[in-house]
């Protein structure tokens, strides 16, 4: 008597987590990226150093405390606004400093750009093609008349 034993093989499915935000930078602190933190720290440092410097100069020139603080505030305000814009402002999904670099490169590089529509290009190509083929046919006729083969 032969007996057949069937064993059930338990198959385990392994699951994997697939990262979906590969192209997004990591958030480090308060939801800010490393780039944003670096810009904020640099801008805040420059603004604070400017604040102290202008305040010291204004007091040394004999200005009152309120006038000195007002002058220091006016000197620091553009730095703060540029820092905040550079940190948080994005145009078309790209950071502001990238647009500044593109603008600088466009204004420093020599050259002329000419825009032509696709319709114009197709029409111009047909015109050039018929113009060139007419010249080619004229050239062949001239050669035939002169006895060229």
């Amino acid at each position: 008597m032969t007996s057949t034993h069937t064993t059930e093989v338990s198959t385990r499915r392994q699951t994997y987590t697939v990262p979906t935000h590969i192209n997004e930078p990591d958030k480090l602190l308060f939801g800010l990226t490393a780039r944003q933190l670096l810009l904020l720290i640099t801008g805040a440092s420059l603004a604070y150093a400017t604040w102290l410097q202008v305040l010291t100069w204004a007091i040394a020139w004999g200005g009152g405390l309120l006038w000195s603080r007002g002058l220091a505030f006016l000197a620091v305000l553009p730095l703060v606004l540029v820092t905040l814009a550079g940190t948080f402002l994005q145009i078309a999904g790209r950071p502001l400093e990238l647009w500044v670099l593109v603008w600088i490169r466009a204004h420093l590089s020599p050259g002329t750009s000419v825009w032509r529509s696709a319709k114009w290009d197709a029409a111009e190509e047909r015109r050039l093609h018929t113009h060139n083929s007419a010249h080619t046919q004229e050239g062949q006729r001239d050669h035939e008349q002169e006895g060229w083969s």
Side-chain angles (χ1 to χ4, degrees):
M1 182 184 230
T2 316
S3 94
T4 308
H5 295 283
T6 58
T7 55
E8 292 182 19
V9 178
S10 156
T11 59
R12 281 188 162 178
R13 288 189 168 195
Q14 293 182 346
T15 58
Y16 300 98
T17 303
V18 177
T20 57
H21 302 292
I22 293 175
N23 292 333
E24 291 187 23
D26 294 331
K27 309 285 185 190
L28 298 180
L29 187 65
F30 304 118
L32 299 173
T33 64
R35 176 195 146 273
Q36 289 174 321
L37 279 173
L38 182 65
L39 286 172
L40 275 178
I41 291 170
T42 303
S45 299
L46 287 172
Y48 183 66
T50 304
W51 171 271
L52 291 178
Q53 194 69 37
V54 171
L55 194 61
T56 304
W57 287 344
I59 291 174
W61 287 337
L65 188 60
L66 184 61
W67 182 82
S68 300
R69 285 185 178 171
L71 185 62
F73 176 76
L74 288 176
V76 167
L77 186 63
L79 288 172
V80 170
L81 292 177
V82 167
T83 299
L84 291 175
T87 302
F88 297 109
L89 185 64
Q90 289 192 350
I91 301 171
R94 292 181 173 27
L96 189 60
E97 69 265 13
L98 181 65
W99 289 108
V100 170
L101 289 174
V102 166
W103 183 82
I104 290 170
R105 184 177 177 197
H107 281 78
L108 291 180
S109 64
T112 304
S113 299
V114 178
W115 179 84
R116 294 181 183 146
S117 71
K119 292 178 183 177
W120 186 89
D121 287 342
E124 183 67 16
E125 186 176 336
R126 282 193 301 274
R127 187 186 69 77
L128 286 176
H129 179 70
T130 55
H131 180 72
N132 288 340
S133 63
H135 278 289
T136 305
Q137 290 173 357
E138 275 181 27
Q140 286 177 353
R141 273 189 249 122
D142 291 343
H143 288 285
E144 289 173 0
Q145 288 175 356
E146 294 174 4
W148 293 68
S149 352

